[in-house]
Amino acid sequence: MSSRRSRQSSSSRISDDQITDLVSKLRQHLPEIRDRRRSDKVPASKVLQETCNHIKNLHQEVDNLSERLSQLLSTIDPDSPEAAIIRSLI
Amino acid sequence: MSSSLISPNPIGTSNPAAAGADRSREAKTRRRKKKAQAQAQAQSKARSLSSKWKSQAQQQIFSSNLLRALAQSRRRGGGGVGGGGSSGGRAVREAADRALAASAKGRTRWSRAILAGRIRISKFRKRKRPAAAVAAAAAAAGRSRKPRVSVSRLRGKGIPAVQRKVRFLGRLVPGCRKEPLPVILEEATDYIEALEMQVRAMSELARLLSGGASVGAGSSSGSPPEPLPGQ
């Protein structure tokens, strides 16, 4: 039953509690699951699904933001206060 | 002056793995004691790690790294590119990812993978990502109708649905393609927080650039205009 140490040479015994702990910790970071009632009964596959979706959404946001930033940076006026901000930060 | 970092935890993500290998050698009673200890350790470590990405200091470090990377990239490719929309955005995204990975200080797998592989495999990732995303999304949508899998299934990893999702998640997080389940879970946790911090920092930066009105009022959040030493 719990004697699965086939092909994982680095961590030979993955305990159930460890995985439960990790899954619950991951669940805290997912806003969709956190606000749901009956948070004990969320199955692990749902957690994985939400994690994938969340990461994809975050990637999308980062892409959008970088698009915006690139446009802002290319059209910025060298003498404006924004450029002064950038220069002072660097 | 440079803002002090939140207490850096020198124990990396390899600690549970080391404790696991150690455990297999001890007797059963001692193993249980060590397991409790490792769990407490992992919990405290997790708490300090998670607060690391939420701190203001980390965001400032990330912002300064990002700006420096952006300035470099602009100096290099400013004349030739001519400000094409998509290519400029891609460069910003990669600079942001590199800055994010640099802010992680190489303590996590995904940050090391980003820093090591961005230059080589950027071409391949453009081809692989759309195809893999479409196929995996179709598979995941079909299988998510049976949410009756519990954590014990995760441990056994017998169900192909869970297995597929774990592999997909491992592909999403950079550098975790062949890692076992607990590693992927841990990396995903840290990666989500790091991405959220990235989104926060970049939106602050965009707001500063596009608005520019809130500078004189003493900015309440985001990076204040003070010269940070190169890190």
Side-chain angles (χ1 to χ4, degrees):
Chain A
M1 231 194 307
S2 62
S3 55
R4 276 209 168 239
R5 44 172 89 189
S6 49
R7 34 170 201 243
Q8 290 146 6
S9 51
S10 58
S11 57
S12 53
R13 181 77 67 119
I14 307 174
S15 67
D16 207 1
D17 294 338
Q18 196 178 351
I19 293 188
T20 318
D21 203 29
L22 285 173
V23 169
S24 63
K25 203 175 60 170
L26 187 54
R27 225 159 48 199
Q28 296 303 315
H29 282 90
L30 303 175
E32 294 90 10
I33 294 191
R34 212 177 24 210
D35 306 329
R36 207 182 281 213
R37 46 167 208 257
R38 288 160 150 233
S39 60
D40 300 336
K41 289 202 177 182
V42 180
S45 67
K46 195 78 173 158
V47 173
L48 289 177
Q49 183 68 35
E50 290 297 331
T51 310
C52 295
N53 291 340
H54 197 49
I55 292 186
K56 273 191 288 189
N57 289 340
L58 287 176
H59 278 168
Q60 269 298 315
E61 281 198 45
V62 171
D63 274 335
N64 295 341
L65 278 173
S66 42
E67 279 290 331
R68 233 177 97 193
L69 271 182
S70 71
Q71 284 172 5
L72 283 173
L73 282 175
S74 58
T75 63
I76 201 168
D77 194 15
D79 290 327
S80 65
E82 289 93 5
I85 300 173
I86 299 182
R87 261 184 250 121
S88 63
L89 281 171
I90 295 177
Chain B
M1 290 317 266
S2 70
S3 40
S4 62
L5 295 174
I6 304 294
S7 64
N9 207 325
I11 307 173
T13 53
S14 59
N15 200 16
D22 208 19
R23 253 183 271 144
S24 64
R25 273 181 273 153
E26 306 278 340
K28 278 194 182 173
T29 51
R30 289 186 72 180
R31 191 182 72 196
R32 285 209 195 103
K33 244 194 252 174
K34 276 198 180 256
K35 184 163 77 170
Q37 264 183 14
Q39 265 191 358
Q41 246 182 17
Q43 272 185 1
S44 60
K45 171 187 76 146
R47 253 179 251 127
S48 60
L49 268 185
S50 72
S51 63
K52 164 180 120 151
W53 286 114
K54 295 205 174 89
S55 68
Q56 197 68 12
Q58 199 68 345
Q59 197 161 321
Q60 287 181 13
I61 294 173
F62 169 74
S63 307
S64 60
N65 283 342
L66 176 61
L67 288 172
R68 209 177 321 128
L70 287 177
Q72 272 181 4
S73 65
R74 286 184 76 205
R75 246 179 265 133
R76 277 197 207 126
V81 176
S86 55
S87 62
R90 184 86 199 157
V92 172
R93 165 81 201 264
E94 294 194 353
D97 283 340
R98 268 205 304 271
L100 189 68
S103 312
K105 292 192 182 60
R107 258 185 244 127
T108 50
R109 275 184 183 77
W110 59 263
S111 61
R112 290 195 288 266
I114 287 182
L115 289 175
R118 267 296 169 183
I119 309 162
R120 282 178 303 175
I121 61 174
S122 61
K123 291 186 213 158
F124 294 124
R125 285 185 83 165
K126 268 195 199 158
R127 266 202 328 237
K128 255 192 192 178
R129 213 189 267 175
V134 167
R143 284 195 177 86
S144 64
R145 302 255 169 78
K146 321 181 210 165
R148 238 177 286 164
V149 181
S150 63
V151 174
S152 61
R153 295 295 185 193
L154 261 191
R155 179 175 48 93
K157 277 193 274 190
I159 310 282
V162 173
Q163 179 77 350
R164 196 70 69 94
K165 289 200 179 84
V166 168
R167 288 295 156 226
F168 182 50
L169 187 59
R171 277 204 303 269
L172 270 183
V173 179
C176 293
R177 240 171 258 198
K178 294 183 199 154
E179 306 289 342
L181 175 71
V183 174
I184 291 185
L185 288 182
E186 204 167 332
E187 292 286 321
T189 312
D190 199 53
Y191 191 52
I192 287 181
E193 283 190 38
L195 281 181
E196 285 176 355
M197 191 220 67
Q198 193 181 18
V199 166
R200 271 200 306 267
M202 285 173 73
S203 48
E204 282 291 333
L205 197 55
R207 199 173 54 105
L208 276 177
L209 280 181
S210 61
S214 59
V215 176
S219 54
S220 52
S221 59
S223 35
E226 59 174 350
L228 293 167
Q231 286 190 345

